[in-house]
Amino acid sequence: MILYLLGFCAVLLGVGMCVDWWHKRHGIDDFDPEENAKRVSESERAYMESHMHNMKNDHHNGML
């Protein structure tokens, strides 16, 4: 039973490595920041702006 479990884990790791290799080889060909910005919801945009603002404040004021 343990050997089957180890074999299954090895197969999953192998498939993951193959998928990772394929994506690194082919890369992202059609990256358009303006097109991506159209697909962001207002709540995601507000969250990121708030997070960036808080990071800037932490950087200038130092972490407590």
Side-chain angles (χ1 to χ4, degrees), residues 2-3 9 13-14 19 22 25 29 33 35 37 40 42 46-49 51-53 58 61:
I2 292 289
L3 289 177
C9 290
L13 284 172
V19 169
W22 188 83
R25 187 167 181 242
D29 296 332
E35 184 68 26
V40 175
E42 290 300 318
Y47 172 77
M48 284 307 299
E49 288 176 0
H51 181 69
M52 296 300 287
H53 179 73
D58 289 345
N61 297 333

Side-chain angles (χ1 to χ4, degrees), residues 18-64:
C18 289
V19 169
D20 187 48
W21 170 79
W22 188 83
H23 280 287
K24 283 182 182 179
R25 187 167 181 242
H26 292 286
I28 298 174
D29 296 332
D30 55 348
F31 179 70
D32 184 12
E34 292 175 3
E35 184 68 26
N36 291 339
K38 291 179 192 175
R39 292 175 169 35
V40 175
S41 70
E42 290 300 318
S43 61
E44 288 174 318
R45 190 181 313 275
Y47 172 77
M48 284 307 299
E49 288 176 0
S50 173
H51 181 69
M52 296 300 287
H53 179 73
N54 290 336
M55 281 179 48
K56 184 172 69 171
N57 285 343
D58 289 345
H59 178 71
H60 288 296
N61 297 333
M63 296 293 287
L64 295 176

